[in-house]
């Protein structure tokens, strides 16, 4: 994958709707071979994260979630976006705020497989988990670019 493909797909988007953002993402028609030379390795996080393209309105991020790893619950601030699974199967865990500040409880889990996209709404709290023996690679696009993201502490109950 080269920067020119990302520029063609996302360069003209200014304040895109969620439908426009998704259409631009899936228009790339990527396969694992297209991203092989860009795969980020985990460093400070349990997953690798690499910004591939950014404008004042869009941020495109490649995620590598190794086998049996999980992110902490987090939100994406005021941004919304799509996360497109290129390879593997991901568990997306949605959380809701608990009674204590900064704590959240698990509300829903869904499995997302290669070729599928899932929408992340502004302020939504979620975590990504890989319960398989194979790595998961996803291409995520957010608008506006991520800022003011917050991490949360999971709790076992809503009380």
């Amino acid at each position: 994958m080269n920067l020119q493909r990302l520029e063609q797909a996302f360069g003209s988007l200014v304040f895109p709707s969620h439908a426009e953002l998704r259409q631009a993402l899936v228009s790339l028609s990527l396969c694992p071979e297209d991203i092989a030379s860009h795969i980020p390795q985990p460093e400070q996080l349990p997953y690798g994260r690499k910004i591939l393209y950014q404008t004042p309105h869009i941020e495109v991020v490649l995620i590598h979630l190794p086998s049996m790893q999980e992110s902490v619950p987090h939100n994406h601030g005021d941004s919304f976006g799509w996360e497109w699974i290129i390879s593997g199967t991901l568990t997306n865990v949605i959380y809701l705020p608990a009674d204590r500040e900064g704590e959240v409880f698990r509300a829903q889990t869904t499995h997302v497989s290669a070729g599928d996209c899932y929408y992340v709404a502004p302020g939504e709290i979620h975590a990504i988990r890989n319960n398989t023996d194979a790595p998961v690679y996803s291409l995520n696009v957010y608008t506006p670019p991520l800022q003011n993201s917050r991490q949360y502490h999971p709790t076992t109950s809503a009380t």
Side-chain angles (χ1 to χ4, degrees):
M1 178 174 56
N2 60 36
L3 182 60
Q4 185 177 4
R5 284 180 72 186
L6 296 173
E7 174 78 35
Q8 289 172 339
F10 300 106
S12 65
L13 296 180
V14 176
F15 304 116
S17 69
H18 72 279
E20 291 170 320
L21 201 59
R22 184 182 192 282
Q23 179 57 42
L25 181 62
V26 299
S27 75
L28 293 171
S29 299
L30 295 177
C31 63
E33 293 77 25
D34 294 325
I35 60 163
S37 64
H38 301 282
I39 294 172
Q41 295 305 312
E43 291 178 9
Q44 297 175 342
L45 300 170
Y47 56 92
R49 180 182 194 284
K50 182 177 184 181
I51 297 173
L52 297 179
Y53 181 78
Q54 190 172 35
T55 72
H57 304 284
I58 303 290
E59 181 174 88
V60 180
V61 181
L62 180 61
I63 299 291
H64 164 209
L65 185 60
S67 174
M68 307 312 240
Q69 293 295 313
E70 180 174 3
S71 73
V72 298
H74 62 279
N75 70 19
H76 297 145
D78 295 327
S79 300
F80 68 88
W82 290 92
E83 300 187 358
W84 178 31
I85 308 303
I86 297 171
S87 177
T89 298
L90 180 87
T91 300
N92 185 45
V93 183
I94 304 294
Y95 289 86
L96 294 175
D99 290 339
R100 288 187 284 202
E101 178 65 27
E103 288 191 350
V104 292
F105 66 94
R106 184 179 306 167
Q108 174 186 352
T109 57
T110 56
H111 300 285
V112 190
S113 297
D116 293 336
C117 289
Y118 65 94
Y119 178 70
V120 179
E124 178 178 292
I125 302 167
H126 82 129
I128 54 174
R129 183 172 56 212
N130 181 356
N131 292 329
T132 71
D133 292 332
V136 173
Y137 304 118
S138 69
L139 192 67
N140 304 351
V141 60
Y142 304 104
T143 186
L146 295 178
Q147 59 183 347
N148 302 321
S149 296
R150 181 174 174 194
Q151 292 185 351
Y152 296 84
H153 303 286
T155 185
T156 55
S157 69
T159 59

